[in-house]
Each structure stands twice: as C-alpha cells, then as structure tokens.
Amino acid sequence: MADALPPSLQEIAERVAGYDPKSLPVAQAREFIDRLVPRVQAVEMLALRSALGRVLARDIVSDFDVPAHDNSAMDGYALRGAELSATAATVLQVAGSGFAGQADLASAAPGQCVRIMTGAVMPPGLDTVVPQEFVTLDGDRISVAPGVVRSGDNRRLAGEDLARGEAALAAGRVLRPADLGLLASLGRAEVPVLRRLRVAFFSTGNELRSIGEPLDAGCVYDSNRYTLWGMLQRLGVELIDMGVVRDDPVALASAFGAAARDADAVITSGGVSVGEADHTKQVMAELGDVLFWRIAMRPGRPMAIGRIATAPGARGHHAILFGLPGNPVAVMVTFYALVRDALLAMSGATAQPLPMLRAASLEAIRKKPGRTEYQRGIVARAADGAWQVRITGSQGSGILRSMSEANGLVVLHHAQGDVAAGELVDVLPFDGLV
Ligand code: AMP
Ligand code: MG
C-alpha cells in the first residue's frame, strides 16, 4: 500500500456535502464511512472450494472457449438444418452415434443423421438436433414431422458460456456457488482471494453479565455479542470475540489497544449515547481520532466512528472503530444500515446494493420526514401474488423480539412522511437465495 497518510476525519467531513454530526442523514453517514475505511490488499491462493464466500483478488480471464466445441443440448439426432422439409416429413438414415466425451466423431453424408447424446460434440457439417421424442424410428431410418424443429435448434455453440479471452469474473466479486462452477469449468484448482477481514468486537456496560454468570439485580445478559457474532459470521469475516469489557478506563484502553493491534475493525456496543456516565466515550476519544455522531435514523441514533490506535498518540497500525449504541435492536439496525457495507468494502468487495421489495403496508405508519426509520416487518404474498408487509409488534429499540419475528426491515426513507394503509413501502428482506 502507498505510504501516504490517510485523510483525517476533519478532511473527510469537509468532502461530505451536508455533513452535520448532530443530525447526520444515513446517506451522508454512509458516504463518510466509505471514504474513511481502507481496503484489504493482501492476496492468498485458495483451493477452489475454500474460496466460497471469499472476495476474488484479480480478474479471471478464460484462456479457452467454454464449451470448447459445438455440442448437443439434447438426446436425439443430429442433422443438417438445411435438409429439413417445411411441408413433409424429413426421412434420414442413421449413420452412426455420438456420445458425450467421445473423440472420434461419426460422420454423416447428405441424407444421413447421427444418433447423439447431450453434451456430445456435433459431427462435422451437422448443425441441428431433433430431440428423440419428436422422431419416429423405423429400422435405421428416422422420420421428423415438419415444424417440430428449426435449423440450429438444440445445439450449444463453442464459447457460448465463456469465450476465450473473455473476463469470466471481476476482482472484488464475492464468490458464490455458480462462480465456483464457472472457475471449475475453466480448470482452475486454485483462486486468488483477498485475505479475510479481521473484526474484533466487545460489549461495554457495567450492567452486562455473560451467559453462565448469575444475573445480579439490575443486570441483563449480554445479547449484543451474539447478534453481532451472527451478523459478522454471515459476512464471512474473521472474528475476534473480546467478551464483555467492564466500564473501567484501564480495561477499556487495554481492550481497544489489543483490538487496534490485531484487527482491521473493532465494533463495540453500548456507552456512546449523550448521557452516558461511563468511560467508553472518553477512552475512545483518548485512543484515537473519533467522532460521536447523532444519526438522523431510528432506531440507532448515537454512534462513534473513527480510528483507534494501539495506545494514545501511537502511530502505525490502527483499526476502524464502529461504536454502536447498546440497545439490542439499534445494534442490529445500525449494523445493517451503516456497518455491513463498510465491512464488505474493507474486505475488498465491489459494492452491490441489496435488492428491496415494494410491499403494500397493511397498516398506516407514522413517520417524521428528516430521518430514516427501519421498522421490523413480516412480508408475505397476498392472495393475488402481490407483496404485503405487516409491522411486528412493539418497535421499541430494546425489544429484540421484534427483530427475531421479522423477516425484513421496512425502510422509511429520509424525506418520507406518514404512510397510509395500502401504500407501497420498501422492504429489505433478511433472507436471500444464495
Ligand atoms: P447504552 O447505549 O449503553 O446506553 O445502552 C442502551 C441500552 O441497551 C441499555 O438498556 C443497556 O442495558 C442495553 N444494552 C447495552 N449493551 C447491551 C448488550 N450487550 N446486551 C444487551 N443489552 C445491552
Ligand atoms: Mg450504557
């Protein structure tokens, strides 16, 4: 990587039009974060299967045609399209047969055809395959009724999947099952991928107890570390679970220092709201270049963002800090709205906007313009096949059940106002196919 110093938070803020840390629109927060985060550079070679879900480090160019030859798409008979009659049955003599993987090709003189199997190379001069179910066989002759097949049908062309010299996959792609298959069809046993992003995370707050500890009066079990673990696991990053860190300046400084040394990013939950009595904000500010935002969103208003060093004033390695609010729903929503794409960008992945559904809201929703709201919803198909969405129970930012019951987030955009019953809204579905 270049040795040039990364821009300071101040410089980044100056480049984000409409930047206002006291009421920051989600779009501006995302732009700021995208400008802040560095991208992983280190490349490693992995066996094809191990590369699933990893970020491709270089473009992959095909060095031969896939498929390498014209071949049959059906079990049937290969023939010359020009010999098909449009008005009467076409009768041809079966001169031989071709199977997938066979190298010595049968040949057919005019008036002849070749019995052929799916994937078998097309014999010279033959350009059309009639599926076997459309043929009447009589001894060594077939009869094809007019109109059942057109010239060129059921033939796969050489290079139709990938032409030699064509870019098969671009660097920055998160490899999916089809991509593994594509790479295999090119004969690649190993693939260059970027090293995995390392993400450290911990929970802060003196009221937090870890599972297995007794739940003292006034305390709650730390649930954020489990939702965070789950969300990070799904992103495919390398996890460093640092547990619950007590609200103690020394413990916090040591946790942040270790995270800055070992990880590319550190995610914390709790301790960043305005009225916080604890030390989290203070230690964050001392250890790094950190901003405390109030984001124009609901839930999830407070957030700390910046860089954390291994020790106060230390140069060299630092980690990007995402200091999330403590409320369990706010943690998840802030993660999906602001952190997820940032971690993907840090991993070297090319940005891919998530697909949204347009669904009719089953009820009216109150919404103030000037902030983005993420309500938890259940989307389903109505009898007529259209998508509709129902908001799940109480939307309080501490009520994790609303998130667990939902199958998507209803996104009420920054400028949007009240929603009438039946009005279409955007929904980010939780689950995808691949
Ligand atoms: P804070 O952002 O620290 O003010 O926390 C807001 C609310 O979230 C408080 O009710 C906390 O008890 C709760 N909270 C903070 N961290 C966690 C956590 N890791 N697990 C569950 N609840 C939490
Ligand atoms: Mg707190």
Side-chain angles (χ1 to χ4, degrees), residues 160-225:
E160 74 173 16
D161 200 349
L162 284 173
R164 181 198 170 115
E166 194 181 326
L169 294 168
R173 184 173 179 91
V174 179
L175 294 170
R176 300 196 294 215
D179 305 327
L180 297 194
L182 207 58
L183 289 160
S185 70
L186 295 175
R188 306 286 172 115
E190 292 194 314
V191 215
V193 298
L194 293 169
R195 79 152 166 82
R196 288 213 291 172
L197 194 73
R198 284 190 284 273
V199 181
F201 61 107
F202 57 87
S203 300
T204 69
N206 278 346
E207 76 281 28
L208 301 180
R209 292 293 175 272
S210 293
I211 303 174
E213 289 176 354
L215 198 56
D216 302 325
C219 291
V220 292
Y221 280 121
D222 168 22
S223 62
N224 289 344
R225 220 151 38 83

Side-chain angles (χ1 to χ4, degrees), residues 103-119:
D104 50 331
L105 301 180
S107 61
Q112 293 184 324
C113 64
V114 167
R115 170 99 176 109
I116 197 164
M117 298 303 157
T118 305

Side-chain angles (χ1 to χ4, degrees), residues 204-207 270-273 276-278 326:
T204 69
N206 278 346
E207 76 281 28
V272 293
S273 4
E276 281 294 341
D278 58 26

